[in-house]
């Protein structure tokens, strides 16, 4: 995994330890024990991730995070902290960081956290440069989305509700919509992306009027879910986005829907169909108009 990382900690041992774990994994590492120097480095370079301590002499981690967010808002921040009470963690996460590592930490924890953070930050950068979607009624939908945001923006913890309403309105949550919501709610786009990618309910891709999920997990595969998939593809003529030409159906494959005893499983919208006979795949679609 490639990634350009700055480590800021007044303890040289921490800087060197992080370097010794991450550099062999292919990351490009710069380390400093001086947080004022860190600000200069951030101004002059583009880091994917800044790993920072919170308690440092001079400019502390809190101020450093504020400055990173002002100077290079697309930088991912991972905090190293010795304070792990619930309140502290909540305060730290509200600074707009990607993740935190509690001291003392193992090389495995460090590597796993940084791999996840780097993956996430690259996705977020791709979101920020994605072209906005254009559709004929985009203006109307933008106004409606603005109304939803206005209704919820002063309600703490309302992101899920906004995303749910936005998905009902638009049908899915493409990068441009996620960015729009992040700007409207004045929260980092990373927060919106994390929620959208965490909940299977949300989708970043367009769907048909009825969405089919075919389970291809082990139990369903053993009971011939592959044949269900083949019949759907052969008869419904999906395009490259897995949507039929009339927009009526879309499909995706999933790994285990948690009902293995009734394999093979097909979900359509909110309905679960168990023990589906592949020969009768098309019959279960007849109830969806
Ligand atoms: S493998 Fe299909 S429901 Fe578990």
């Amino acid at each position: 995994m490639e990634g350009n990382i700055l480590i800021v900690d007044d303890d040289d041992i921490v800087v060197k330890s992080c370097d010794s774990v991450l550099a062999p994994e292919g990351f490009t590492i710069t380390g400093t024990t001086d947080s004022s120097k860190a600000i200069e480095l951030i101004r002059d370079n583009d880091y994917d991730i800044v790993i920072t301590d919170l308690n440092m002499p001079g400019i502390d981690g809190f101020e450093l995070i504020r400055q990173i967010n002002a100077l290079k808002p697309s930088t991912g921040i991972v905090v190293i902290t010795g304070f792990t009470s619930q309140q502290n963690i909540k305060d730290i996460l509200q600074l707009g960081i990607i993740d935190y590592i509690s001291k003392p930490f193992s090389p495995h924890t460090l590597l796993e956290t940084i791999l996840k953070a780097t993956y996430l930050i690259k996705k977020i950068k791709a979101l920020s440069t994605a072209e906005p979607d254009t559709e004929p009624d985009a203006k109307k939908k933008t106004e409606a989305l603005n109304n939803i945001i206005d209704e919820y923006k002063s309600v703490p913890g309302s992101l899920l509700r906004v995303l749910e309403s936005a998905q009902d309105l638009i049908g899915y949550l493409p990068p441009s919509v996620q960015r729009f919501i992040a700007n409207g709610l004045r929260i980092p786009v990373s927060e919106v992306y994390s929620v959208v990618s965490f909940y299977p309910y949300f989708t970043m891709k367009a769907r048909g009027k009825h969405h089919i999920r075919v389970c291809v997990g082990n139990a369903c595969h053993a009971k011939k879910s592959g044949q269900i998939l083949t019949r759907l593809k052969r008869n419904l003529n999906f395009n490259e986005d897995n949507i039929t030409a009339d927009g009526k159906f879309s499909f995706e494959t999933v790994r285990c829907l948690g009902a293995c005893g009734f394999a093979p499983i097909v979900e359509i919208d909110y309905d679960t169909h168990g023990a589906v006979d592949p020969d009768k795949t098309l019959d279960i679609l007849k109830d969806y108009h």
Side-chain angles (χ1 to χ4, degrees), residues 186-204:
R186 296 183 192 282
I187 56 175
V189 71
S190 56
E191 194 176 330
V192 177
Y193 175 79
S194 308
V195 173
V196 172
S197 54
F198 179 77
Y199 290 97
Y201 171 77
F202 294 123
T203 176
M204 296 189 218

Side-chain angles (χ1 to χ4, degrees), residues 61-83:
F62 293 94
E63 179 55 25
L64 181 63
I65 291 167
R66 267 187 284 277
Q67 298 226 21
I68 296 169
N69 284 333
L71 288 168
K72 300 276 172 81
S74 61
T75 308
I77 302 168
V78 173
V79 158
I80 297 175
T81 175
F83 306 105

